[in-house]
Amino acid sequence: MNAMVENPDAKLALVIDDSAVNCKIMTTLLREEGYRVLSGNNGAVGVALYIEHLPDLVLMDIHMPVMDGYEAAKRIKSLSPNSLAPLIFITSLDTDEAFVEAIEAGGDGILTRPFSPEVFKAKIKSIQRISNLYTQVKTLQQEQQQDAELAEQIMSGVIEARNFALDRIGIKKQAAALFSGDIQLTALCPGGNVNVLLGDFTGHGLRSSIGAIPLSETFRVMTKKGFSLMEIIEQINRQLYELLPVDLFCCVCCVSISGHDRSAYVFNAGLPDTYVFNQEGKIKHKIESHHIPLGVMPNLLPQAQLQVYSVAEDDRVVLISDGILEARNDQGEMYGIQRFESAARQGFCHGDIPGKVFAAVNDFCQGRPQEDDISLIDIPCNGWQQALSGDDNAHNLAVSEMPDLHQDSEPSWHWQLSLTGQRLALVNPVPMAMGQIQEIEGNGEHWNNMYTILTELYVNALDHGVLRLNSELKNSAAGFAHYFMVRESRLKNLATGRIDISLSYHPLSSGGKMIITIVDDGQGFDLAAFYDHRLKNKHAGKDKVMLCGRGIELVHQLCEKLEYLERGNKVQATYVWAE
Amino acid sequence: MSIEKVISADNQNVSISIEDRFDFSLHQKFRESYADCDTNGTVFTLNLDKTSYMDSSALGMILLLKDHADKISGKVIINKPNETVNKILEIAQFHRLLTIEL
């Protein structure tokens, strides 16, 4: 042994050769190259040393007693199939067979004796270069895996765990990569509607996920604040356009289900047809994409609008991403629309659309690797008003137990907004009013009712007061669609018109009172005549078909007092709540 | 899978043909096929009559081409997509963004 001090960080080489002289020569040469060196005199010793020390490089003789080089190499490589340590055979057998067998035993290279010290060192260097490259790739791969795991964690932990009503809305997905490019979101609107979004970002994996976090934040926050679905979609489009590179975008389908309206509002931008199944499992509507995906253009197309469908209590709305239709089997055949529709129908009858469809897709693909993310959302159309009406009962009970209503108390604040002409078409004042309330008074459950009251009264003032629309139109499904069309066109051409909104907040000893006043420049609304008309219809047994006028009834139930003043164009609602 | 490019003598028309599958594996080649074509007003024709399948990253690549064409006041025309490919273009409503010749 020479007196050279070994560097403990230096790479470790293992030399296995039954000739002590060969061992000595190679050890010396390797030390000159900066290696620490271990040596053994047969294959069995070599394997044991390998297990104990996990060297960075192995030099293996072929003909040795006890265990030969081929056998030792096979064992070493099978011990650590992904090991980064290269193994070089050193041999005097200069035949093709020896070369082939050496490589098949797991060798990464072969060096034939006799060789000069220069050739030996050059061989070590070249094999080490490849090994370093391998290490580098391995490290990068691990980093990528960690990034994908982190993104997946954020996705399921932060984005999806905050979804609403996961016990009622069926969401099923299967990602092609660890991290899916599909995103599924659900959120409850302050008025009791449920908003659902299925998004499919270009491609899959981490690359496709850049937009997922801002998209889900926008969707959730704007839904909670009471923005309309169209306003939410516009904002998501703008955001993705600014954020994503040109070739990345998101195919989106948004659905808002209103139990109160018995309607589904749908916006399909680039996803396959969205389905509405009726109570017998038959397809009632197929809603095709009518807009380019979000994030492609700075603004939505001028004619972009929600599509409205009337839905019955037992109907289900089903959204899918294209991965389902394009899933292939070994023959290269695609799963396709027909197979999907029949699986969904069967699923409907078994009460499990997502389960049945996924089982059928996986059956069809027979374990062929999945090319794209696949996902499905199944939304029931009933029951979304329950949470809200539960609140009403609590509210009524609390108010009746409150003796001191401080009728004459001064408002502790007052907020007012007047909108005229085109601004009525461009601005939605309800989220602004809600924003003011929450900024001053903080969050509270009772603001959900407040939102419903404001929305209903404002929409009435705009639709019937300013736009002079007749709500009787809404009494049939066809009329409903017509109503929305007329509304859109009148809004677009709106030049005159005015609505004043004001809020007065009165604190009570335990709770509070809000007086909402909305004035429009219309011809006025006759509440007495309205109730008279409804009563007549009810007696005639027509109450089931009354699709219009439920808004005002709902407000009436929620409020302490509801009055139409002046010529019926000024409405004042008093809402009281207990803490 | 291959890309073929033909440029007219006056550099005003660039024809790009894609055979078989149009997907992410063509990303690099597709970009290279038009990157040097910067004559003002160039019309890029994307021939898809031999394209059997297209995925969403191909839609992204078409948007890149459109972006490039817009920058040089040019234009993109999609030519003869088969039924499957046209269905994908239709779902993405790409006829609202560029000309599709059937």
Side-chain angles (χ1 to χ4, degrees):
Chain A
M1 290 289 283
N2 61 29
M4 214 164 76
V5 181
E6 283 189 341
N7 175 4
D9 292 333
K11 292 202 179 222
L12 180 66
L14 172 62
V15 177
I16 304 160
D17 199 317
D18 59 335
S19 145
V21 179
N22 283 343
C23 270
K24 186 129 197 213
I25 294 168
M26 285 192 279
T27 300
T28 309
L29 292 172
L30 284 162
R31 286 214 171 108
E32 283 172 19
E33 285 300 299
Y35 282 84
R36 293 179 293 136
V37 187
L38 284 170
S39 59
N41 60 2
N42 71 58
V45 174
V47 172
L49 283 171
Y50 180 88
I51 294 168
E52 194 182 342
H53 298 281
L54 293 173
D56 302 292
L57 172 69
V58 182
L59 297 174
M60 182 81 76
D61 185 16
I62 292 176
H63 288 305
M64 286 180 290
V66 187
M67 185 191 285
D68 74 5
Y70 295 138
E71 182 58 28
K74 278 179 198 157
R75 292 200 183 183
I76 284 174
K77 288 289 177 179
S78 71
L79 277 171
S80 50
N82 296 316
S83 163
L84 312 178
L87 186 147
I88 307 172
F89 281 102
I90 312 286
T91 176
S92 42
L93 293 170
D94 190 11
T95 64
D96 286 357
E97 290 76 26
F99 189 84
V100 170
E101 198 171 347
I103 300 300
E104 270 170 8
D108 299 291
I110 187 161
L111 191 58
T112 319
R113 289 184 214 280
F115 49 73
S116 67
E118 287 70 28
V119 166
F120 178 82
K121 286 181 178 177
K123 184 77 187 173
I124 299 298
K125 271 186 193 146
S126 89
I127 206 98
Q128 198 57 61
R129 209 179 284 153
I130 295 167
S131 160
N132 288 346
L133 205 62
Y134 187 55
T135 312
Q136 213 179 338
V137 169
K138 254 309 210 247
T139 314
L140 284 172
Q141 209 181 26
Q142 274 163 4
E143 276 173 20
Q144 202 184 27
Q145 179 74 7
Q146 278 167 2
D147 282 352
E149 276 167 12
L150 176 70
E152 205 278 326
Q153 249 173 5
I154 291 173
M155 197 73 173
S156 52
V158 182
I159 300 179
E160 280 153 13
R162 286 162 66 195
N163 272 341
F164 168 73
L166 289 177
D167 53 330
R168 309 207 35 225
I169 300 174
I171 295 181
K172 201 162 168 70
K173 60 171 179 172
Q174 197 168 293
L178 171 64
F179 184 54
S180 163
D182 283 1
I183 179 167
Q184 302 86 359
L185 301 171
T186 64
L188 180 68
C189 309
N193 289 6
V194 60
N195 282 357
V196 179
L197 179 148
L198 175 62
D200 177 2
F201 284 96
T202 338
H204 51 76
L206 191 56
R207 185 181 139 81
S208 70
S209 72
I210 311 164
I213 291 170
L215 184 152
S216 70
E217 277 307 293
T218 304
F219 177 79
R220 208 158 269 137
V221 170
M222 286 184 79
T223 299
K224 197 174 165 209
K225 284 191 175 165
F227 283 94
S228 73
L229 193 59
M230 216 47 212
E231 288 169 309
I232 298 172
I233 294 164
E234 264 164 29
Q235 178 60 24
I236 288 174
N237 180 64
R238 203 171 304 131
Q239 205 174 31
L240 293 182
Y241 177 77
E242 281 164 14
L243 193 75
L244 299 181
V246 176
D247 58 337
L248 282 192
F249 52 81
C250 190
C251 296
V252 166
C253 185
C254 277
V255 175
S256 185
I257 307 249
S258 162
H260 167 51
D261 271 1
R262 279 180 226 147
S263 301
Y265 300 80
V266 184
F267 190 87
N268 185 349
L271 277 191
D273 293 356
T274 290
Y275 288 82
V276 180
F277 289 96
N278 73 4
Q279 63 266 40
E280 285 132 30
K282 292 210 175 94
I283 296 164
K284 196 166 162 187
H285 303 289
K286 271 170 88 162
I287 305 148
E288 58 184 24
S289 159
H290 56 278
H291 198 279
I292 46 178
L294 303 187
V296 176
M297 305 270 283
N299 293 303
L300 296 182
L301 297 170
Q303 66 270 41
Q305 62 177 41
L306 297 178
Q307 293 180 300
V308 193
Y309 296 88
S310 69
V311 289
E313 288 238 317
D314 295 329
D315 289 356
R316 302 189 87 87
V317 178
V318 174
L319 313 180
I320 50 169
S321 69
D322 60 0
I324 288 184
L325 304 180
E326 290 171 14
R328 286 171 198 258
N329 64 12
D330 270 339
Q331 287 77 50
E333 220 181 329
M334 286 196 192
Y335 185 66
I337 290 168
Q338 260 112 45
R339 289 191 188 89
F340 163 71
E341 287 178 358
S342 99
R345 232 188 327 264
Q346 281 179 34
F348 188 98
C349 300
H350 288 88
D352 181 15
I353 299 176
K356 195 83 195 167
V357 170
F358 271 60
V361 171
N362 289 332
D363 239 25
F364 174 79
C365 295
Q366 297 283 3
R368 190 177 190 270
Q370 192 181 328
E371 289 170 59
D372 196 1
D373 304 318
I374 63 180
S375 45
L376 182 150
I377 306 183
D378 167 34
I379 318 153
C381 292
N382 63 347
W384 298 116
Q385 287 298 99
Q386 280 165 8
L388 212 64
S389 48
D391 280 358
D392 297 348
N393 294 336
H395 157 81
N396 290 336
L397 198 69
V399 170
S400 65
E401 285 169 356
M402 243 177 4
D404 55 340
L405 278 177
H406 290 279
Q407 287 297 343
D408 305 319
S409 69
E410 279 292 301
S412 58
W413 56 266
H414 181 82
W415 180 85
Q416 196 166 355
L417 177 73
S418 297
L419 290 171
T420 60
Q422 258 302 301
R423 286 293 171 273
L424 282 164
L426 299 172
V427 173
N428 177 0
V430 176
M432 293 162 118
M434 291 309 296
Q436 287 298 324
I437 296 173
Q438 284 169 351
E439 245 169 62
I440 303 172
E441 301 299 332
N443 285 322
E445 281 299 308
H446 42 274
W447 299 143
N448 285 348
N449 290 336
M450 182 74 201
Y451 173 86
T452 306
I453 299 165
L454 261 174
T455 307
E456 293 298 337
L457 296 181
Y458 175 73
V459 169
N460 275 347
L462 181 63
D463 285 13
H464 309 311
V466 175
L467 300 176
R468 315 275 203 270
L469 286 159
N470 182 357
S471 70
E472 296 265 311
L473 266 180
K474 287 196 280 186
N475 272 340
S476 74
F480 214 89
H482 180 63
Y483 181 91
F484 270 87
M485 241 175 58
V486 177
R487 187 180 193 271
E488 280 298 312
S489 88
R490 290 197 187 165
L491 260 184
K492 207 173 267 175
N493 301 315
L494 194 62
T496 58
R498 177 187 173 100
I499 295 179
D500 296 336
I501 302 171
S502 76
L503 302 173
S504 293
Y505 174 79
H506 301 258
L508 300 177
S509 59
S510 71
K513 175 170 81 172
M514 187 79 79
I515 299 176
I516 304 147
T517 313
I518 296 184
V519 186
D520 64 65
D521 66 344
Q523 288 151 340
F525 174 67
D526 188 344
L527 188 65
F530 168 76
Y531 273 110
D532 198 36
H533 183 66
R534 271 182 85 79
L535 207 66
K536 274 184 199 150
N537 271 327
K538 201 166 182 164
H539 288 316
K542 287 188 196 164
D543 55 331
K544 274 185 188 153
V545 292
M546 287 291 284
L547 284 169
C548 71
R550 273 171 299 120
I552 199 74
E553 270 195 2
L554 184 65
V555 174
H556 212 152
Q557 280 168 20
L558 292 175
C559 288
E560 195 62 19
K561 201 159 124 193
L562 180 70
E563 279 183 305
Y564 277 82
L565 306 166
E566 289 168 17
R567 57 173 196 272
N569 63 331
K570 175 175 180 177
V571 61
Q572 193 160 70
T574 306
Y575 174 58
V576 180
W577 67 93
E579 285 303 341
Chain B
M1 261 181 284
S2 71
I3 293 186
E4 208 172 288
K5 172 175 67 170
V6 179
I7 305 179
S8 67
D10 61 358
N11 288 336
Q12 288 287 316
N13 289 289
V14 176
S15 163
I16 302 168
S17 303
I18 291 161
E19 240 176 77
D20 203 12
R21 286 170 72 90
F22 187 9
D23 61 19
F24 195 74
S25 61
L26 288 184
H27 202 250
Q28 199 61 29
K29 275 193 194 166
F30 185 74
R31 285 181 91 149
E32 283 164 4
S33 75
Y34 62 79
D36 301 337
C37 307
D38 50 7
T39 310
N40 219 43
T42 302
V43 176
F44 296 89
T45 307
L46 192 56
N47 287 314
L48 298 183
D49 60 328
K50 285 183 189 136
T51 311
S52 58
Y53 173 76
M54 184 168 92
D55 68 358
S56 67
S57 60
L59 293 173
M61 289 185 251
I62 295 175
L63 290 177
L64 284 174
L65 173 61
K66 182 182 180 297
D67 196 48
H68 175 80
D70 287 347
K71 276 183 193 142
I72 54 171
S73 318
K75 196 180 161 181
V76 177
I77 296 171
I78 294 181
N79 194 26
K80 294 202 176 78
N82 74 17
E83 209 183 312
T84 318
V85 171
N86 192 44
K87 183 77 197 158
I88 289 164
L89 290 166
E90 217 168 65
I91 290 175
Q93 297 276 295
F94 263 39
H95 61 275
R96 293 175 192 258
L97 289 175
L98 23 85
T99 311
I100 300 176
E101 291 173 352
L102 294 174

